[in-house]
Amino acid sequence: MLDHLDDLASDFSVFHRIADITLLDGPTFFRLAWRMPAYEGVMRVRATAQQGDGDTAGMPHMAPGRYEEINPGTRTALAADPAFAGLFSYGSPGG
């Protein structure tokens, strides 16, 4: 994903009307970025090409109506997912 930040920025601007992806908090960015191959943008082209080569590592595997592999980006889900271990800091409540 990080190798495609310019492509993601382009797709975010078109499909979500987000002009600057750097202003998003981490959970929101990853939640939206994960879904980009569902839209008719450059990330779909990249995902299709990658799957065509048989290299699907790191790509969401979504059959119609089945989204259980998508991390919803909630604080609890991100904290429990080993793929995101240590990436997010939420600070202390009230402080």
Side-chain angles (χ1 to χ4, degrees):
M1 181 180 313
L2 297 178
D3 292 336
H4 303 293
L5 286 178
D6 289 339
D7 295 331
L8 284 165
S10 178
D11 281 359
F12 270 63
S13 70
V14 171
F15 299 111
H16 296 299
R17 308 259 190 256
I18 297 171
D20 186 353
I21 61 174
T22 65
L23 299 177
L24 296 171
D25 61 84
T28 300
F29 171 81
F30 283 106
R31 186 175 65 246
L32 295 174
W34 187 260
R35 289 169 172 79
M36 278 292 125
Y39 299 98
E40 295 287 336
V42 69
M43 292 308 295
R44 175 180 253 179
V45 172
R46 291 193 177 281
T48 300
Q50 186 176 17
Q51 289 176 344
D53 293 342
D55 180 8
T56 58
M59 296 300 299
H61 302 283
M62 297 183 290
R66 300 194 60 190
Y67 302 100
E68 57 269 3
E69 290 189 39
I70 294 177
N71 186 311
T74 63
R75 182 182 292 195
T76 302
L78 289 170
D81 191 328
F84 298 106
L87 288 178
F88 301 106
S89 173
Y90 296 101
S92 60

